[in-house]
Amino acid sequence: MLRWAIIFFIIALVAAVLGFGGISGMSFEIAKFIAIIAVILFVISLLIGGLRGRGGPRI
């Protein structure tokens, strides 16, 4: 998911250099949204992993 955020950020940079302000702004907003979602999912994953612990299967 973070890969998509980086791709949209690069598209935004290229569009900004070429003078396409609308495309640049929209690509940056999409990249920012995807990056925020990725961070939220990462934090949720850390919390769930912390609650489950590192113990293996108990026999």
Side-chain angles (χ1 to χ4, degrees), residues 4-44:
W4 283 103
I6 293 170
I7 289 170
F8 276 108
F9 182 68
I10 291 171
I11 290 171
L13 288 176
V14 170
V17 168
L18 296 176
F20 298 108
I23 296 172
S24 173
M26 184 58 79
S27 294
F28 181 73
E29 291 298 321
I30 292 171
K32 187 168 62 171
F33 176 74
I34 293 174
I36 289 171
I37 295 297
V39 168
I40 289 171
L41 289 175
F42 176 70
V43 169
I44 290 172

Side-chain angles (χ1 to χ4, degrees), residues 45-54:
S45 175
L46 284 177
L47 291 175
I48 290 174
L51 292 175
R52 290 180 68 196
R54 291 185 174 230

